[in-house]
């Protein structure tokens, strides 16, 4: 793995040197610190400290210049597009192939995803496929059995468990390797992140409507970036620990409508782990309002997305009766 690809992603190389015994589920603080991937840790701490200071600045009105309304519209626009780039792009399209997308849509999704400043599509997909197949085991990169903190934050600043490496090698990534859009993004991940997550989003308000550098940096680089980062992580943490399990009571993922609110429809996680190929990622758009599903529906109407896969109500009811804990109508 080149440095260019290893963007905010624990090094696999480090795990190769480690034995399973080194990865106890609850390491001592000393052991945890010894294992820390320092670049990732310092990077995330820097942005989280900046985020907290930014929130304090706005809550207590420490900067007198008002934010321009165009900047607020811009921040909301980026929240929506970047969020859907993660949920509708790297998650429901590239990882689970819940629908097919034509080249222009794949390029748009790649741009939207890059603006999130996450790590390359290739590795996101690999991690998430392993997560689904080996959920809540040592192979699961965000194994919630290791605690809330590990599932939310710790997994990204610690080396991979050796079991993840073994299982990760078995994951079929041929579809991603065959996708020139995903492979282009992998090759230029750092450049795309700098340009689309930090550069353009921050410079556009300054150049186009004379926003102050202060507001542009605080709102775009810290508040927007870290809010989306935590919203995404909440699916790995909250949605594997708290909430109900109506579709399959024997698995960890849960139903949490509040997570759907912050992730544009990803909080129906018990449903999603039960029917990962369903493009809606929920049974009830009412309970789990999904901007992502509306976006995919709109793309289908425009002819950019097609072959949308979904579970029939009969199948859902059957599965609830077999593995869930209640009737759908209760
Ligand atoms: Zn999950
Ligand atoms: Zn998934």
């Amino acid at each position: 793995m080149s440095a260019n690809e290893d963007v905010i992603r624990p090094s696999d190389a480090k795990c190769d040197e480690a034995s399973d015994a080194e990865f106890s589920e609850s390491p001592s603080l000393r052991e945890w610190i010894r294992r820390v991937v320092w670049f990732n840790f310092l990077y995330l701490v820097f942005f989280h400290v900046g985020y907290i200071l930014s929130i304090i600045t706005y809550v207590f009105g420490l900067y007198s210049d008002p934010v321009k309304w165009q900047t607020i519209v811009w921040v909301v626009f980026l929240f929506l597009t970047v969020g859907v780039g993660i949920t509708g792009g790297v998650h429901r399209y590239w990882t689970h192939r819940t629908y097919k997308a034509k080249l222009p849509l794949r390029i748009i999704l790649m741009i939207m995803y890059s603006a999130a400043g996450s790590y390359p599509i290739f590795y996101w997909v690999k991690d998430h496929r392993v997560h689904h197949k080996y959920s809540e085991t040592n192979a699961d990169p965000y194994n919630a059995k290791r605690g809330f903190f590990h599932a939310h934050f710790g997994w990204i600043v610690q080396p991979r468990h050796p079991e993840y490496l073994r299982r990760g090698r078995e994951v079929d990534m041929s579809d991603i390797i065959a996708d020139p859009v995903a492979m282009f993004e992998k090759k230029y991940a750092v450049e795309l992140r700098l340009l689309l997550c930090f550069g353009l989003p921050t410079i556009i308000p300054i150049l186009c409507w004379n926003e102050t550098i202060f507001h542009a940096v605080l709102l775009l680089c810290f508040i927007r970036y870290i809010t989306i980062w935590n919203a995404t992580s909440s699916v790995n943490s909250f949605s594997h620990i708290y909430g109900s399990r109506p579709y399959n009571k024997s698995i960890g993922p849960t139903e949490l409508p509040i997570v759907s609110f912050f992730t544009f429809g990803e909080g129906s996680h018990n449903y999603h782990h039960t029917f990962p190929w369903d493009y809606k990622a929920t049974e009830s758009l009412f309970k789990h309002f999904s901007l992502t599903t509306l976006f995919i529906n709109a793309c289908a109407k425009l002819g950019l997305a097609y072959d949308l896969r979904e579970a029939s109500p009969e199948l859902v009811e059957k599965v609830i009766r077999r593995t869930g804990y209640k009737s759908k109508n209760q």
Side-chain angles (χ1 to χ4, degrees):
M1 187 187 291
S2 75
N4 204 25
E5 292 162 5
D6 193 13
V7 188
I8 299 306
R9 184 170 184 279
S11 165
D12 286 352
K14 264 194 167 184
C15 311
D16 278 334
E17 301 155 11
S19 67
D20 290 33
E22 278 187 70
F23 285 81
S24 62
E25 278 190 17
S26 43
S28 65
L29 181 62
R30 195 188 171 125
E31 181 61 19
W32 192 90
I33 291 170
R34 193 185 68 76
R35 284 194 228 148
V36 159
V37 180
W38 284 106
F39 176 81
N40 291 7
F41 183 80
L42 294 174
Y43 177 97
L44 286 175
V45 166
F46 170 78
F47 278 99
H48 277 81
V49 168
Y51 175 78
I52 291 164
L53 293 178
S54 303
I55 298 286
I56 290 172
T57 301
Y58 286 112
V59 169
F60 293 99
L62 302 181
Y63 186 69
S64 53
D65 268 9
V67 182
K68 295 198 165 45
W69 66 266
Q70 297 95 325
T71 308
I72 306 219
V73 172
W74 180 237
V75 170
V76 172
F77 170 77
L78 283 173
F79 264 127
L80 302 181
T81 50
V82 168
V84 171
I86 299 169
T87 58
V90 75
H91 187 217
R92 297 192 202 178
Y93 174 65
W94 275 293
T95 301
H96 294 298
R97 302 285 172 179
T98 64
Y99 63 97
K100 293 197 174 93
K102 293 199 173 151
L103 181 64
L105 177 57
R106 278 165 31 219
I107 293 171
I108 291 166
L109 288 171
M110 184 271 284
I111 291 169
M112 285 160 66
Y113 172 73
S114 296
S118 190
Y119 58 97
I121 290 169
F122 180 91
Y123 297 111
W124 205 105
V125 169
K126 186 177 165 196
D127 283 354
H128 201 71
R129 285 180 181 172
V130 177
H131 165 69
H132 270 262
K133 200 165 177 192
Y134 302 102
S135 204
E136 268 98 18
T137 69
N138 280 332
D140 179 352
Y142 5 100
N143 180 9
K145 284 233 166 95
R146 291 173 69 180
F148 180 92
F149 180 74
H150 177 81
H152 193 85
F153 181 92
W155 72 275
I156 216 149
V157 301
Q158 292 277 296
R160 299 286 189 217
H161 193 286
E163 186 61 13
Y164 163 83
L165 282 191
R166 286 191 282 273
R167 299 302 183 183
R169 283 188 206 106
E170 296 163 11
V171 172
D172 182 5
M173 296 294 292
S174 55
D175 58 323
I176 303 296
I177 291 165
D179 185 336
V181 177
M183 295 315 279
F184 173 86
E185 190 268 350
K186 181 172 179 272
K187 189 170 179 191
Y188 296 104
V190 170
E191 293 85 347
L192 286 167
R193 170 191 289 225
L194 291 175
L195 182 70
L196 298 172
C197 178
F198 298 112
L200 286 178
T202 313
I203 286 168
I204 284 172
I206 297 167
L207 293 185
C208 296
W209 51 86
N210 240 352
E211 185 54 273
T212 62
I213 295 172
F214 188 84
H215 282 312
V217 170
L218 262 58
L219 286 168
L220 276 312
C221 294
F222 291 107
I223 292 180
R224 176 199 62 107
Y225 179 46
I226 291 301
T227 301
I228 290 177
W229 191 94
N230 279 288
T232 310
S233 288
S234 69
V235 181
N236 302 332
S237 53
F238 287 98
S239 292
H240 273 263
I241 295 173
Y242 308 105
S244 59
R245 297 174 173 89
Y247 303 98
N248 189 340
K249 62 185 178 207
S250 64
I251 59 175
T254 63
E255 299 288 293
L256 261 186
I258 185 74
V259 171
S260 282
F261 177 78
F262 287 106
T263 59
F264 311 136
E266 302 286 87
S268 187
H269 211 51
N270 191 258
Y271 180 91
H272 172 61
H273 271 256
T274 310
F275 306 102
W277 40 268
D278 188 323
Y279 87 98
K280 303 186 310 304
T282 183
E283 182 190 8
S284 165
L285 282 177
F286 178 70
K287 264 199 233 164
H288 294 273
F289 175 71
S290 177
L291 184 72
T292 310
T293 301
L294 299 182
F295 174 82
I296 298 169
N297 286 345
C299 290
K301 284 224 157 54
L302 293 170
L304 293 167
Y306 57 103
D307 286 356
L308 280 51
R309 298 197 289 163
E310 58 183 315
S312 67
E314 296 74 31
L315 176 64
V316 174
E317 185 63 47
K318 204 169 131 190
V319 168
I320 288 173
R321 267 190 264 116
R322 203 177 59 217
T323 57
Y325 66 75
K326 65 172 187 179
S327 152
K328 199 174 89 178
N329 300 320
Q330 272 182 301

